[in-house]
Amino acid sequence: MAGKVITVAQQKGGAGKTTIAANLAVGMTRAGHRVALLDTDPQGSLGRWFMTRRADGLDDMEFSTASAWGVGYECEKLKKSCDFVILDTPPKVDADLRPALKISDLVLVPVASSQVDVWAVESVLDLVSREKRDALVVLNRFKAGTRVGHDVTAAVRGMDVPLAETTLGNRVVYAETLGLGRGVQEHAKSAATDEMERLVAEILGRIS
Ligand SMILES: Nc1ncnc2c1ncn2[C@@H]1O[C@H](COP(=O)(O)OP(=O)(O)OP(=O)(O)O)[C@@H](O)[C@H]1O
Ligand SMILES: [Mg+2]
């Protein structure tokens, strides 16, 4: 069997790429899948998250790093033993992102609740469509019932890209759990655990 590859990409820094990669990995693992994380971001945040998790005795997923150009080779290895390989990428969209997109079954594009994030999304969607890949936009730090929340949703709906039904709220538990090497699902039950479970189910429904 060969695992499926999910890449998280967005040019805008801080949109929630690493947060979504980590929580997706936890959610898929909890759903019984074998998951590998592949960090192509030199910042190494996902690696720090993984090492913090491991130091705490949690040894339930694979982890590796790769340069932009080594990603295909590394991914092929991980796909042999895992159901899903989740790739985290740096906050830039250029030729370096291409090798990751080429091997992706799904590209998740987090858009935080601001017009700046919406502007930044166009370059990644352009590259995804040139590589003929499937993308899914996920609204992160979403502020329901606000003007900016409404405007961001309308702007993404106006683009030719699927939008995840599940939105992720702006919740401090995302930052807290990330620093502890955990996912929100491993914290007390809350609106965050519910929305993350829904997002994981939605993504599994698209890609399985
Ligand atoms: N839904 C959320 N609610 C609250 N805080 C969040 C949420 N999503 C992400 N954050 C916080 O925002 C910050 C940036 O998130 P994250 O590191 O996941 O973004 P990124 O896109 O990976 O950034 P970079 O482009 O630098 O790699 C982190 O401190 C994270 O904990
Ligand atoms: Mg990151």
Side-chain angles (χ1 to χ4, degrees), residues 23 140 142 144 166-174 183-185 187-200:
N23 281 281
N140 186 30
F142 187 65
T166 312
T167 59
L168 304 178
N170 187 27
R171 310 183 200 283
V172 73
V173 68
Y174 282 105
V184 290
Q185 308 93 316
H187 200 259
K189 194 163 168 54
S190 67
T193 51
D194 288 352
E195 67 194 9
M196 191 48 69
E197 271 171 24
R198 277 187 277 118
L199 183 64
V200 170

Side-chain angles (χ1 to χ4, degrees), residues 96-120:
D96 278 359
L97 187 59
R98 278 225 160 114
L101 297 183
K102 275 186 196 303
I103 54 165
S104 298
D105 296 286
L106 181 66
V107 182
L108 290 181
V109 184
V111 172
S113 234
S114 84
Q115 189 60 48
V116 185
D117 272 69
V118 175
W119 289 328

Side-chain angles (χ1 to χ4, degrees), residues 14 16-19 41 43 45-46 88-91:
K17 296 176 286 294
T18 302
T19 302
D41 184 356
Q43 287 183 103
S45 318
L46 193 60
D88 192 17
T89 62

Side-chain angles (χ1 to χ4, degrees), residues 2 7 22 27 82-83 91 134 146 202-203 208:
T7 293
C82 291
D83 303 311
D134 288 329
T146 64
E202 197 178 334
I203 291 167
S208 294

Side-chain angles (χ1 to χ4, degrees), residues 13-56:
K17 296 176 286 294
T18 302
T19 302
I20 288 177
N23 281 281
L24 193 56
V26 171
M28 287 178 157
T29 301
R30 284 163 73 93
H33 300 289
R34 281 171 296 173
V35 175
L37 289 167
L38 184 51
D39 195 358
T40 68
D41 184 356
Q43 287 183 103
S45 318
L46 193 60
R48 294 294 296 267
W49 176 86
F50 176 81
M51 293 307 171
T52 305
R53 184 175 182 82
R54 237 179 111 84
D56 235 4

